[in-house]
Amino acid sequence: MAITRRTMIMGTAALAGTLPFRLHASTTVGNYTVDTLSDGNLILPAGFILGEHVNDAADILARYDLGTEQLTPDCNVTLLRDGENTVLIDVGSGMNFQPSAGRLVDSLDTLGVAPEDVTHVLFTHAHPDHLWGVLDDFDEPVFYNARHMIGRAERDYWLDPETVNTIGEERMAFAAGALRYLNAVEMDVFEDGDDVLSGLQAVGTPGHTPGHMAFAVNGSDPLVIVGDSIGNHHVAFEQPQWELGSDQDGELGAATRTALLDRLNADKAMLIGFHFPFPGIGHAEKSGDGYRFIPA
């Protein structure tokens, strides 16, 4: 194998493997084998995630052994394989966001999947922990054989030069990063309702970001990869109508989350949440006026 900048950095990462990586081969849905892969976790102020409800949520968080100061949500990347296509839903944050994340390539390696094996990369949205892993430390595409795809509305929002001026100070770095990373690879677009691949449909779930997409995997037991449209396994389930700080449009995010949970419950569909406890797969079950997450 020729030694390139890419193979050098991959080799360095493998030798450095001092942190544990967790892998979960979850299930088969339709024609797809579905695996969830850990990209590590984030470390965030609880107020950033829960907004004005951070104190209201104290009792809920306590039931999950969580506090109101800091939360450390897992980051679960979904891998779909049907024998022909090897598809990643999001790519994690790479090495430039938080040191506790950026582990996707190592997790893929535990499955025997190399970056060049990936045929498609689909993005739920363009926040750092979902997009920034698209480039390596030399600003070259990690998944260099893959077709990269994102919802049209999401792409257009982040490529608008005014977004960085209107998004608010705490998310300005998100906007600058999205502009950089989206321009670094050729990016095809799709619309709400499109069959992105056979048996895989895009589902518009705006609010967390303006063009956020979930993905429905068709099968006798359907699966919805919800991304951040349901952003956690506690408050978002028990109080889906609350406007949360992690959503750029809190009101729309709450409406989308409530409707999606209603649908998941009615359809008895499995779901994968990007920030649910690893491996992030389970069901939504009605509980009082809200829901609870039932791990698979």
Side-chain angles (χ1 to χ4, degrees):
M1 179 176 65
I3 301 298
T4 65
R5 290 189 299 171
R6 181 178 290 107
T7 57
M8 181 178 69
I9 195 168
M10 295 306 178
T12 302
L15 290 171
T18 58
L19 294 173
F21 299 101
R22 299 170 295 170
L23 170 68
H24 178 74
S26 53
T27 189
T28 299
V29 180
N31 294 326
Y32 289 102
T33 298
V34 182
D35 297 279
T36 53
L37 302 166
S38 176
D39 191 53
N41 67 274
L42 302 182
I43 302 172
L44 296 169
F48 180 83
I49 296 173
L50 302 175
E52 64 182 18
H53 291 291
V54 63
N55 292 324
D56 301 332
D59 289 344
I60 296 174
L61 293 172
R63 288 199 293 275
Y64 294 85
D65 296 322
L66 300 171
T68 59
E69 296 299 318
Q70 180 177 279
L71 297 175
T72 58
D74 287 333
C75 299
N76 307 309
V77 175
T78 302
L79 178 72
L80 306 173
R81 292 177 288 173
D82 65 0
E84 179 180 357
N85 300 303
T86 299
V87 184
L88 282 174
I89 309 296
D90 295 325
V91 294
S93 64
M95 304 309 294
N96 294 319
F97 186 49
Q98 292 195 358
S100 55
R103 306 177 186 178
L104 175 60
V105 171
D106 301 270
S107 291
L108 281 167
D109 186 60
T110 66
L111 263 184
V113 177
E116 60 265 30
D117 297 333
V118 176
T119 61
H120 296 78
V121 173
L122 311 179
F123 294 99
T124 59
H125 64 298
H127 277 169
D129 51 325
H130 299 255
L131 171 66
W132 288 15
V134 77
L135 297 180
D136 65 21
D137 282 358
F138 296 99
D139 287 341
E140 294 179 350
V142 174
F143 306 102
Y144 49 91
N145 288 331
R147 181 184 181 192
H148 294 73
M149 306 175 70
I150 194 168
R152 183 185 300 276
E154 185 74 359
R155 183 203 63 178
D156 290 351
Y157 171 75
W158 293 105
L159 293 185
D160 183 345
E162 283 304 306
T163 294
V164 71
N165 299 318
T166 58
I167 196 171
E169 184 175 356
E170 65 182 358
R171 287 185 169 90
M172 285 181 68
F174 291 14
L179 192 63
R180 174 193 170 199
Y181 287 95
L182 288 174
N183 278 319
V185 295
E186 184 176 348
M187 196 75 63
D188 294 333
V189 295
F190 53 84
E191 307 284 358
D192 177 20
D194 281 356
D195 292 323
V196 183
L197 289 167
S198 177
L200 184 63
Q201 184 181 53
V203 181
T205 47
H208 182 70
T209 61
H212 188 286
M213 290 280 184
F215 296 95
V217 184
N218 299 323
S220 56
D221 296 311
L223 167 69
V224 181
I225 302 157
V226 303
D228 284 5
S229 57
I230 305 173
N232 58 68
H233 67 296
H234 38 78
V235 174
F237 276 78
E238 294 199 24
Q239 296 291 344
Q241 77 282 1
W242 282 1
E243 296 183 21
L244 300 180
S246 56
D247 294 332
Q248 290 182 215
D249 184 329
E251 182 177 1
L252 180 57
T256 292
R257 182 166 51 249
T258 300
L260 183 55
L261 283 165
D262 288 345
R263 170 185 168 180
L264 291 164
N265 180 64
D267 293 347
K268 301 188 184 306
M270 291 184 292
L271 71 155
I272 295 175
F274 191 87
H275 290 305
F276 297 0
F278 185 86
I281 188 166
H283 293 84
E285 181 180 272
K286 190 69 177 174
S287 178
D289 293 332
Y291 290 90
R292 60 176 178 166
F293 175 63
I294 308 298

